Amino acid sequence: MSPSDDDRTTVRDLLAEHGGTYADDAGIRLKDTPQPLYQLLVLAHLLSARIRADVAVAAARALFDAGMRDPRHMKDATWQQRVDALGEGGYRRYDERTSTQLGRAAELLLDAYGGDLRRMHKEAGDDPGRLRQLLQEVPGIGPAGADIFLREVQGVWRECAPYLDDKTLQGARRLGLPADGEKLAGLVKREELPSLAAALVRAALDRHVVEDVQEAHGRHAA
């Protein structure tokens, strides 16, 4: 195999083994409408803490199951209701601070954007860098949270693509793939970019992901 063919095989194995997006894991049917975009922002907020991804996903699901699926319902929920939902998802280490941040974030989104992140998107124009800055004005969303949101939203906000940040490139290096966003993007279809980004992050965070891909690669070579 040429290096390019080898890289394509690695990526196909990676997507087959670990290719679901984090939005998929949280039950978010992502599209360019206010509610799923807000839910993705909540998920990005939770994932950006120093806590396991499966716990963050479970906490997001618990918030949504408790009715906090949009900024209005998040704001109208009591602080304790948010804490209880986070705790139900196992998100206990940061539950009190996060409950406060989620309430403040919902207020800001309602006041500044009418609860619709598409307005933030429009304000940023076609500039992902500007969008990343605006996202970080939301309480609880720092650089890591903004990156998580943009990695996942690139499937519906196409001008953000390819969004393959430092964390995804770290995963690429661990898999022996090019640590270059444009080269990585060329290995998949455009609609697969969010899945590729999520899978590369998993590779960066968990050595077992790399081992799974190496085992699959070995089966092809046998």
Side-chain angles (χ1 to χ4, degrees), residues 19-21 151-156 190-199:
T21 66
R151 289 197 300 258
E152 300 263 328
V153 85
Q154 66 182 312
V156 292
R190 188 182 185 94
E191 59 268 22
E192 293 178 307
L193 281 168
S195 294
L196 175 62

Side-chain angles (χ1 to χ4, degrees), residues 83-115:
V83 168
D84 290 346
L86 290 165
E88 184 178 334
Y91 202 90
R92 295 185 179 88
R93 183 177 178 187
Y94 303 104
D95 54 353
E96 295 186 356
R97 182 185 70 182
T98 300
S99 175
T100 299
Q101 290 174 334
L102 288 169
R104 290 175 54 219
E107 278 192 51
L108 180 142
L109 292 172
L110 289 164
D111 291 346
Y113 303 105

Side-chain angles (χ1 to χ4, degrees), residues 36-120:
L37 290 170
Y38 173 70
Q39 290 173 0
L40 176 61
L41 188 67
V42 170
L43 178 62
H45 179 168
L46 299 178
L47 283 167
S48 65
R50 292 183 179 275
I51 201 161
R52 293 200 324 271
D54 60 333
V55 173
V57 166
R61 281 184 172 272
L63 286 166
F64 306 150
D65 288 346
M68 291 169 252
R69 300 184 184 92
D70 57 61
R72 177 62 60 192
H73 285 94
M74 186 67 78
K75 175 180 177 294
D76 290 347
T78 66
W79 179 84
Q80 190 61 52
Q81 286 172 326
R82 294 191 293 266
V83 168
D84 290 346
L86 290 165
E88 184 178 334
Y91 202 90
R92 295 185 179 88
R93 183 177 178 187
Y94 303 104
D95 54 353
E96 295 186 356
R97 182 185 70 182
T98 300
S99 175
T100 299
Q101 290 174 334
L102 288 169
R104 290 175 54 219
E107 278 192 51
L108 180 142
L109 292 172
L110 289 164
D111 291 346
Y113 303 105
D116 188 347
L117 282 163
R118 294 177 302 179
R119 296 185 182 182
M120 180 189 290

Side-chain angles (χ1 to χ4, degrees), residues 143-201:
D147 286 338
I148 293 165
F149 182 89
L150 290 167
R151 289 197 300 258
E152 300 263 328
V153 85
Q154 66 182 312
V156 292
W157 290 352
R158 297 300 183 89
E159 75 282 351
C160 294
Y163 198 87
L164 298 166
D165 62 330
D166 289 345
K167 183 62 71 174
T168 62
L169 299 184
Q170 181 183 338
R173 283 190 289 270
R174 294 187 69 178
L175 289 160
L177 291 167
D180 178 279
E182 292 294 336
K183 289 180 180 178
L184 288 169
L187 297 172
V188 296
K189 299 175 182 176
R190 188 182 185 94
E191 59 268 22
E192 293 178 307
L193 281 168
S195 294
L196 175 62
L200 289 171
V201 169

